[in-house]
Amino acid sequence: MASKWKVLDILTCKQVLNIMVIFGFMLNYMLRVNMTIAIVSMVIPSKDSSHSSSYNRTNECFDHEIKINVSLHNNESAMIASNSTISSFPYPPRHEEINQTRYPWNEYEVNIILGSFFWGYICTELPGGRLAEIIGPKKVFGYSMLVSSAVTFLTPWLATYGYIAVAMLRTVIGFMLGATWPAIQPMTARWIPPTERSKFVSNMMASSLGAALTMPICGFLIAYFGWESVFYVTGTIGLMWSIAWFLLIFDSPAQHPRISIEERRYIEESIGTTTTTKRLSVPWKCIFLSIPVWSIVLTHSCNVFGYFTVVNQLPTYMKYILNFNIKENGMLSSLPYLGKYIFAVTTSTVADYLFKNKKLSVTSIRKIFTSFAVLTPGLLMIIQANYGCDRVTSVSIFTIALTINGAVTAGYLGNGLDIAPNFAGTIFGMMNTLGSLGGLLSSYMVGTITYKNQTYARWSIIFWILASIYCFGAFTFLIFGNGQLQTWNNPEQKQNRKKANTDNNFDAIEFASLKENTVS
């Protein structure tokens, strides 16, 4: 035990918190997107056949027709003919995975599984943020990750009972992980000085780094050990992190047994009186009538709709439209997430610099970065809708779009901490609740549009929808966003000020009355 604390003494408590939050959100997304890449190998492709058959397959994105003649009695004939100029990638997706169990789930059922995560996710967003404000973010974040990691192990077993069983499990995982994102906001308000919050909030984008690592790792696990290994590996790593979280993290500097006097004094003096650990009653009326709050909520909902559509559906698009195999799929699908994390950290550092040196107001900083981060992907989706058949163009667009989207950490994502740090968890719960509905609807949308029709023409419709929603979100925050501390952030302080004004008025009236009596 002594040696453990000796090693940790090299780092400040705030640095340990940063590291644990980074790894926490990486694993958070590992548990979320492991199904996204695994589902590609869990199902029998809709155009596959186990019987003797002869069929023609045409792909819009590659100007050719492939004819495959399969004989079950012998493997001596496998004729591939093209009726036009052969493209740069003239063959169907190459499956390099080992032989493994597959299930006959169609596009609709697959998207039920992918969307079921959000059925549970939306239920705990708002309660999770408020619960973290009351009992502390350590317990809420920690137990959510612990339970989610444990139940992930059950995925391969439940798959044998059908897609409904898997969907129910994913709902449970969504229910637990729904509380994690809003729970970290109270932790930020209690531990991180205002001039460092944009950079700390960018740690949440380590979720993108987690996705960037999960995609290629899962691709190789599936290829060599089968899709079941994806859930065993991610579940194990999640359990290990959960144990470390409970040992190393505390809800506030005042509760930490290892923090130095100097570090505690710096944090508490930097934060000042804008944040309290007291259990304040939520000013619901003020929150629901607040235009700055709704600008955050609506912008986040639009952004999350677009983000989750890409997160959940990119591997499917890579396979059926661009004809990437599973290992290429995992590697290329990871590029946008890696770029997003790097860009999130970079832009957040710039935002903190601008705020600390008073180069721009908080409102200007949030609006500039939000507009850039949300509007740009919208414009790129328009290009994707017209030129998405080209493999290089598609990969480039997805990578650039999600990379630039990382700038939301310097924009609206930390705006709740600007306007009401005491209720940042509640506000984030509101934004993620509505945003999760968008994630659920996006899976239903893709499943409906591409049902038994995995063509580029159908995917173009999806890209146009994404473009419209991204642009709407960007303009909403640009017009209505605000970075000023709201008066309802501290109800007790507001009541005391009101009481003091009343007392002063009473004293003034009493003094005036006494003066009049004296004169008369």
Side-chain angles (χ1 to χ4, degrees):
M1 179 65 72
S3 60
K4 180 186 73 172
W5 291 119
K6 187 175 181 181
V7 172
L8 290 176
D9 284 339
I10 300 174
L11 303 171
T12 66
C13 295
K14 190 151 60 70
Q15 288 172 335
V16 172
L17 176 63
N18 270 276
I19 293 171
M20 289 302 297
V21 169
I22 288 173
F23 281 103
F25 278 103
M26 285 176 61
L27 296 172
N28 185 293
Y29 251 55
M30 278 191 175
L31 298 174
R32 180 183 300 196
V33 305
N34 53 12
M35 179 61 74
T36 302
I37 189 73
I39 196 73
V40 176
S41 295
M42 290 174 68
V43 301
I44 300 171
S46 58
K47 294 182 180 179
D48 283 1
S49 177
S50 58
H51 302 287
S52 181
S53 62
S54 179
Y55 62 89
N56 292 330
R57 180 177 180 179
T58 302
N59 191 322
E60 301 163 284
C61 290
F62 304 95
D63 187 23
H64 70 283
E65 183 182 297
I66 301 170
K67 185 176 181 181
I68 301 177
N69 192 5
V70 181
S71 173
L72 293 179
H73 299 288
N74 56 64
N75 296 324
E76 61 187 16
S77 64
M79 180 182 67
I80 301 178
S82 177
N83 67 350
S84 62
T85 303
I86 295 178
S87 71
S88 59
F89 192 83
Y91 304 108
R94 295 164 290 162
H95 298 285
E96 298 184 3
E97 308 103 291
I98 62 174
N99 292 327
Q100 54 191 312
T101 304
R102 291 178 183 269
Y103 302 99
W105 301 333
N106 60 37
E107 290 92 341
Y108 179 77
E109 292 166 340
V110 165
N111 279 281
I112 286 291
I113 293 174
L114 294 176
S116 61
F117 176 90
F118 297 99
W119 300 347
Y121 198 72
I122 61 175
C123 296
T124 51
E125 290 287 348
L126 189 55
R130 184 56 185 155
L131 193 62
E133 292 167 353
I134 296 174
I135 69 171
K138 174 182 177 177
K139 292 180 180 177
V140 175
F141 197 93
Y143 283 116
S144 296
M145 289 290 292
L146 180 66
V147 175
S148 300
S149 301
V151 300
T152 295
F153 284 92
L154 302 176
T155 306
W157 172 62
L158 287 176
T160 61
Y161 292 93
Y163 79 96
I164 293 295
V166 178
M168 291 174 65
L169 178 69
R170 295 295 295 176
T171 301
V172 172
I173 294 176
F175 184 87
M176 298 308 301
L177 293 182
T180 54
W181 283 69
I184 213 65
Q185 297 294 310
M187 182 75 81
T188 308
R190 298 173 187 179
W191 271 96
I192 309 301
T195 56
E196 302 174 23
R197 285 177 180 169
S198 291
K199 188 174 182 181
F200 184 82
V201 169
S202 71
N203 291 337
M204 298 170 72
M205 287 300 109
S207 58
S208 297
L209 186 58
L213 293 174
T214 302
M215 293 293 184
I217 290 174
C218 288
F220 280 97
L221 285 174
I222 292 169
Y224 294 106
F225 302 103
W227 59 262
E228 295 93 340
S229 63
V230 168
F231 302 103
Y232 298 141
V233 171
T234 54
T236 300
I237 298 174
L239 288 176
M240 294 171 62
W241 175 91
S242 299
I243 295 171
W245 173 266
F246 283 111
L247 291 175
L248 301 175
I249 301 303
F250 296 86
D251 285 326
S252 68
Q255 297 177 18
H256 205 298
R258 191 179 60 85
I259 193 169
S260 66
I261 298 175
E262 294 78 11
E263 185 181 6
R264 177 179 173 180
R265 183 184 296 118
Y266 166 72
I267 293 173
E268 292 179 343
E269 289 180 355
S270 299
I271 293 174
T273 59
T274 60
T275 304
T276 179
T277 56
K278 293 181 180 179
R279 297 182 181 180
L280 301 175
S281 58
V282 180
W284 291 110
K285 183 179 179 181
C286 293
I287 290 177
F288 283 123
L289 294 178
S290 173
I291 293 178
V293 168
W294 282 107
S295 69
I296 299 172
V297 171
L298 292 176
T299 302
H300 182 67
S301 300
C302 294
N303 186 61
V304 167
F305 181 91
Y307 179 68
F308 279 138
T309 301
V310 175
V311 166
N312 287 335
Q313 307 300 334
L314 186 55
T316 301
Y317 183 78
M318 291 280 194
K319 177 180 179 179
Y320 290 110
I321 307 302
L322 300 183
N323 288 336
F324 285 107
N325 66 36
I326 190 66
K327 287 193 290 186
E328 291 173 328
N329 193 335
M331 186 65 69
L332 292 172
S333 293
S334 71
L335 292 178
Y337 308 112
L338 181 61
K340 182 170 185 176
Y341 177 68
I342 294 172
F343 204 67
V345 174
T346 302
T347 53
S348 295
T349 302
V350 173
D352 281 339
Y353 169 80
L354 294 173
F355 179 52
K356 188 174 183 179
N357 292 277
K358 299 180 180 179
K359 301 290 185 180
L360 291 171
S361 66
V362 177
T363 301
S364 298
I365 292 171
R366 300 306 184 203
K367 286 189 174 185
I368 290 171
F369 283 104
T370 298
S371 301
F372 178 59
V374 182
L375 184 61
T376 304
L379 300 178
L380 288 172
M381 287 302 106
I382 296 175
I383 300 176
Q384 178 66 23
N386 291 282
Y387 302 99
C389 265
D390 184 78
R391 301 174 99 195
V392 175
T393 301
S394 289
V395 172
S396 300
I397 286 175
F398 285 129
T399 301
I400 295 171
L402 288 191
T403 294
I404 291 176
N405 190 240
V408 295
T409 57
Y412 77 83
L413 203 60
N415 194 216
L417 292 163
D418 300 325
I419 64 175
N422 283 328
F423 304 105
T426 299
I427 295 173
F428 202 95
M430 287 177 59
M431 20 183 311
N432 248 21
T433 298
L434 199 57
S436 299
L437 284 173
L440 178 60
L441 291 174
S442 73
S443 293
Y444 177 78
M445 174 192 73
V446 174
T448 301
I449 294 175
T450 63
Y451 181 60
K452 293 185 178 179
N453 195 6
Q454 286 284 357
T455 62
Y456 176 67
R458 306 302 290 175
W459 278 92
S460 292
I461 296 173
I462 295 171
F463 296 136
W464 276 109
I465 294 172
L466 292 182
S468 302
I469 292 175
Y470 269 128
C471 292
F472 177 78
F475 285 115
T476 296
F477 194 84
L478 184 62
I479 297 170
F480 300 108
N482 194 305
Q484 299 302 310
L485 184 69
Q486 302 297 295
T487 55
W488 44 265
N489 174 62
N490 197 327
E492 288 184 353
Q493 197 174 67
K494 186 177 180 180
Q495 290 176 0
N496 291 337
R497 193 183 302 116
K498 186 176 180 181
K499 183 179 178 182
N501 291 335
T502 302
D503 291 341
N504 290 336
N505 291 336
F506 179 77
D507 290 341
I509 293 172
E510 185 176 320
F511 178 76
S513 177
L514 179 62
K515 186 176 180 181
E516 289 174 2
N517 292 334
T518 304
V519 172
S520 60

